[in-house]
């Protein structure tokens, strides 16, 4: 049951993060873009962290090994990357060197979304191998 909660939370987080990035990329001309971007990505990160907790609890209860596969290791890196990205986004609002921080924030955001998508693909491949 915990794995289904993990999957649901991670799927919702992925949708939030992709939506947040899409707003920043395609809706900058709208007045609401920044608030929507910030809300979607913060919500996505919170859901991502909740999904990570569900994975940890599920592995602990099930007696499996933590970080035993590529999905788990890249997933952890992606969660950390997402945390850093959101932190940089908030920090860059009041920072003096906005240009460099925003550039780093943008690139880490892109890497985070790619990481999330890659981890989802790894999960699908893992499930496919397990069922065959």
């Amino acid at each position: 049951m915990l794995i289904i909660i993990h999957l649901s939370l991670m799927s919702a987080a992925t949708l939030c993060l992709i939506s947040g990035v899409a707003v920043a990329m395609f809706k900058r001309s709208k007045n609401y873009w920044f608030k929507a971007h910030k809300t979607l990505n913060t919500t996505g990160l919170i859901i991502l962290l909740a999904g990570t907790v569900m994975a940890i609890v599920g592995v602990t209860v099930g007696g499996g090994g933590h970080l035993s596969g590529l999905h788990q290791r890249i997933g952890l890196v992606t969660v950390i990357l997402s945390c850093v990205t959101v932190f940089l986004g908030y920090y860059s609002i009041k920072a003096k060197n906005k240009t460099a921080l925003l550039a780093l924030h943008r690139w880490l955001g892109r890497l985070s979304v790619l990481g999330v998508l890659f981890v989802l693909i790894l999960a699908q491949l893992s499930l496919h191998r397990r069922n065959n």
Side-chain angles (χ1 to χ4, degrees):
M1 181 65 178
L2 291 174
I3 194 69
I4 293 171
I5 296 170
H6 167 70
L7 175 65
S8 300
L9 288 170
M10 292 310 206
S11 297
T14 301
L15 291 174
C16 283
L17 294 173
I18 289 173
S19 298
V21 171
V23 165
M25 290 175 67
F26 303 116
K27 296 294 183 181
R28 279 191 183 263
S29 62
K30 305 293 183 187
N31 290 336
Y32 64 84
W33 84 268
F34 184 70
K35 187 173 183 177
H37 171 70
K38 195 164 73 166
T39 301
L40 284 165
N41 284 329
T42 302
T43 303
L45 179 63
I46 291 167
I47 296 170
L48 192 72
L49 292 171
T52 302
V53 169
M54 285 298 110
I56 292 168
V57 171
V59 169
T60 302
V61 169
H66 292 284
L67 303 175
S68 59
L70 193 58
H71 169 80
Q72 294 84 351
R73 283 178 268 168
I74 294 178
L76 178 62
V77 169
T78 300
V79 168
I80 292 168
L81 196 61
S82 298
C83 289
V84 170
T85 302
V86 171
F87 170 77
L88 282 175
Y90 277 100
Y91 182 71
S92 67
I93 294 170
K94 297 194 184 230
K96 292 181 182 178
N97 191 5
K98 283 184 190 244
T99 307
L101 282 175
L102 286 176
L104 183 60
H105 170 72
R106 286 183 187 119
W107 280 105
L108 289 180
R110 292 171 185 141
L111 285 174
S112 295
V113 169
L114 288 175
V116 167
L117 294 173
F118 185 63
V119 169
L120 284 173
I121 291 168
L122 286 174
Q124 289 299 315
L125 291 173
S126 176
L127 285 174
H128 179 70
R129 268 189 253 124
R130 216 180 286 161
N131 290 332
N132 287 333

